[in-house]
């Protein structure tokens, strides 16, 4: 356990991360959340071909935080999360990152001294951003369960906060998007870049970044969702035509209120959650979707993490929107329904080249 003293720092004077040894919690009896589980990658096979020249415009230090949770000995056990972070670690090491206590932390539940508990995840997040200065490049990869819980501050159009589930979430609770934003986004200064990959269910807005991009490279504005509005009006009209006038009017009222709430919560989010730091996140799916824990070419892997590695293998110099579209294409070809999402902390040009 961590000391209760609030001044505790999870790193030494040289910046090395330290976690007191913490054993795994006992097995749980939980329902599957990330997606259908499977057995052990094409990704592993192609990692040797991952290029060592992914673009970088950074002059400062590079630091990475990698979190993979398989939830061993539970009914909700996943198979591919630890494989995912190992694959991403290999990718990073081939692209300028260094495996040392001061530059890379990996929390996995097969390592008794680096368990991905809530306290350890929070401490590792603090370590990651604590000394970040302009010119630095940070990288976060999370592979594990994701969830939702009731929104308490009114900043979610659907009424739910998105969450990640630490290993001990039954005891310590889930970590919400609001908390993640405060931990790793808000502390960053202008000129720092952080690239985040979240391979978990309901992860589309798990960092509450205010700018979400379409496949065309345009960002979603805060106006009315025209497709949803059209569907709401059509559904209301059909109910009225079928004689359910009260149901039609009630459905129309609820739809219009939902659109108004989404428009205003989006505006609030852009004001409250924007950052001058260059924070970019690729999420495994929309907030209303699940991300699959799969078996591809004989290896257990997160489908989204697999699509990221495969894209960077096939094209080491994609634009951000090109990376997004390639990942979507790979998942579609593999018959996964999830749709990866791209979001940023301020308006950016997603047609610029991906860089870490």
């Amino acid at each position: 356990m961590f000391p209760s003293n609030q001044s505790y720092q999870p790193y030494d004077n040289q910046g090395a991360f330290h976690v007191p040894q913490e054993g795994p919690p006992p097995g749980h009896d939980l329902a599957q959340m990330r997606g259908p589980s499977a057995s052990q990658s094409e990704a592993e096979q192609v990692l040797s071909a991952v290029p060592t020249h992914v673009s970088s415009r950074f002059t400062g230090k590079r630091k990475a935080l990698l979190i993979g949770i398989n939830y061993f000995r539970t009914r909700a056990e996943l198979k591919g999360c630890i494989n995912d972070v190992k694959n991403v670690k290999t990718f990073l090491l081939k692209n300028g990152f260094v495996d040392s206590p001061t530059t890379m932390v990996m929390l996995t539940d097969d390592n008794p001294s680096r368990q991905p508990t809530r306290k350890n995840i929070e401490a590792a997040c603090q370590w990651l951003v604590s000394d970040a200065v302009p010119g630095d490049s940070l990288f976060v990869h999370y592979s594990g369960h994701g969830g939702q819980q009731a929104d308490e501050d009114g900043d979610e159009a659907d009424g739910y906060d998105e969450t990640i589930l630490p290993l001990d979430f039954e005891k310590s609770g889930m970590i919400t998007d609001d908390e993640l934003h405060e931990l790793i986004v808000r502390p960053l200064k202008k000129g720092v870049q952080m690239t985040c990959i979240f391979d978990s269910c309901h992860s589309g807005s798990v960092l509450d970044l205010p700018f979400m991009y379409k496949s065309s490279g345009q960002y979603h504005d805060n106006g009315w969702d025209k497709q949803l509005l059209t569907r709401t009006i059509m559904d209301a009209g059909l109910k009225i035509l079928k004689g359910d006038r009260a149901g039609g009017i009630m459905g129309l009222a609820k739809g219009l209120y939902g659109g108004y709430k989404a428009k205003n919560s989006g505006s609030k989010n852009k004001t409250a959650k924007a950052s001058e730091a260059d924070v970019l996140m690729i999420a495994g799916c929309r907030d209303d979707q699940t991300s699959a824990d799969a078996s591809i070419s004989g290896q257990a892997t997160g489908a989204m993490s697999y699509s990221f590695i495969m894209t960077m293998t096939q094209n080491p110099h994609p634009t951000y929107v090109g990376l997004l579209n390639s990942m979507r294409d790979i998942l579609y070809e593999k018959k996964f329904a999830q749709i990866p999402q791209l979001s940023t902390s301020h308006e950016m040009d997603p047609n610029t080249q991906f860089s870490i």
Side-chain angles (χ1 to χ4, degrees):
M1 298 293 291
F2 275 85
S4 60
N5 185 345
Q6 295 299 311
S7 64
Y8 171 75
Q9 298 293 317
Y11 44 87
D12 61 22
N13 292 334
Q14 285 74 47
F17 181 67
H18 291 290
V19 174
Q21 185 163 341
E22 188 170 357
H28 314 302
D29 184 22
L30 306 172
Q32 191 79 19
M33 292 181 66
R34 177 176 169 181
S37 186
S39 60
Q40 283 233 4
S41 96
E42 197 171 310
E44 187 175 56
Q45 296 167 7
V46 302
L47 272 170
S48 59
V50 171
T52 58
H53 50 279
V54 170
S55 299
S56 180
R57 56 184 173 80
F58 306 103
T59 57
K61 61 184 174 295
R62 290 184 175 92
K63 294 174 71 175
L65 171 58
L66 311 175
I67 304 168
I69 316 177
N70 277 2
Y71 309 89
F72 292 117
R73 299 177 301 280
T74 77
R75 199 171 68 177
E77 182 171 347
L78 299 172
K79 305 297 184 182
C81 300
I82 294 175
N83 287 341
D84 290 343
V85 295
K86 288 179 178 178
N87 289 342
V88 169
K89 177 181 178 179
T90 299
F91 165 76
L92 293 176
L93 294 179
K94 292 192 173 190
N95 288 283
F97 284 75
V98 176
D99 183 8
S100 79
T102 61
T103 59
M104 186 174 290
V105 167
M106 187 159 73
L107 303 179
T108 57
D109 49 344
D110 64 347
N111 183 347
S113 66
R114 293 281 173 104
Q115 294 279 288
T117 60
R118 182 187 181 101
K119 282 186 176 292
N120 288 354
I121 291 173
E122 290 175 345
C125 287
Q126 182 184 353
W127 164 85
L128 181 72
V129 303
S130 62
D131 57 352
V133 296
D136 288 353
S137 175
L138 312 179
F139 194 98
V140 177
H141 177 229
Y142 171 82
S143 182
H145 278 310
Q148 292 179 307
Q149 67 181 37
D151 172 38
E152 296 182 353
D153 61 3
D155 67 341
E156 301 285 351
D158 61 358
Y160 292 95
D161 281 327
E162 283 61 54
T163 66
I164 62 171
L165 278 64
L167 183 60
D168 60 343
F169 74 94
E170 287 191 304
K171 177 181 70 175
S172 302
M174 299 186 286
I175 302 175
T176 69
D177 46 12
D178 296 319
E179 292 171 313
L180 287 170
H181 188 94
E182 291 297 318
L183 280 167
I184 60 175
V185 178
R186 193 171 297 282
L188 297 179
K189 304 177 179 68
K190 182 177 182 179
V192 177
Q193 175 169 306
M194 181 169 64
T195 303
C196 302
I197 308 289
F198 278 82
D199 191 351
S200 53
C201 295
H202 312 295
S203 54
S205 62
V206 76
L207 285 184
D208 269 354
L209 300 181
F211 290 86
M212 186 81 71
Y213 291 84
K214 303 176 184 179
S215 59
S216 64
Q218 296 177 311
Y219 71 86
H220 293 280
D221 61 29
N222 287 327
W224 293 86
D225 184 330
K226 296 180 178 63
Q227 184 179 18
L228 179 60
L229 181 60
T230 300
R231 191 174 68 212
T232 298
I233 293 172
M234 290 179 63
D235 288 347
L238 285 172
K239 286 183 178 180
I240 291 172
L241 286 174
K242 291 178 179 179
D244 185 7
R245 188 169 185 273
I249 293 173
M250 180 65 71
L252 181 61
K254 286 182 177 179
L256 292 175
Y257 175 73
Y260 170 81
K261 185 176 179 182
K263 181 177 186 296
N264 284 277
S265 65
S267 299
K268 176 183 176 182
N269 208 36
K270 276 188 169 60
T271 301
K273 299 297 179 71
S275 169
E276 289 189 312
D278 299 329
V279 183
L280 307 99
M281 180 184 75
I282 299 179
C285 60
R286 298 192 312 247
D287 285 347
D288 63 342
Q289 292 182 314
T290 58
S291 288
D293 189 50
S295 178
I296 301 176
S297 298
Q299 188 194 47
T301 179
M304 181 268 203
S305 295
Y306 166 85
S307 70
F308 171 74
I309 292 293
M310 289 300 295
T311 294
M312 296 309 301
T313 301
Q314 296 166 359
N315 176 17
H317 304 294
T319 63
Y320 285 96
V321 72
L323 172 60
L324 175 70
N325 287 328
S326 177
M327 291 173 65
R328 288 180 173 184
D329 289 345
I330 289 170
L331 291 170
Y332 179 79
E333 290 167 4
K334 295 288 184 182
K335 303 188 184 306
F336 293 105
Q338 67 195 79
I339 303 173
Q341 304 293 304
L342 171 66
S343 58
T344 63
S345 56
H346 59 82
E347 188 176 356
M348 300 180 192
D349 180 3
N351 291 302
T352 57
Q353 195 165 302
F354 176 80
S355 178
I356 55 173

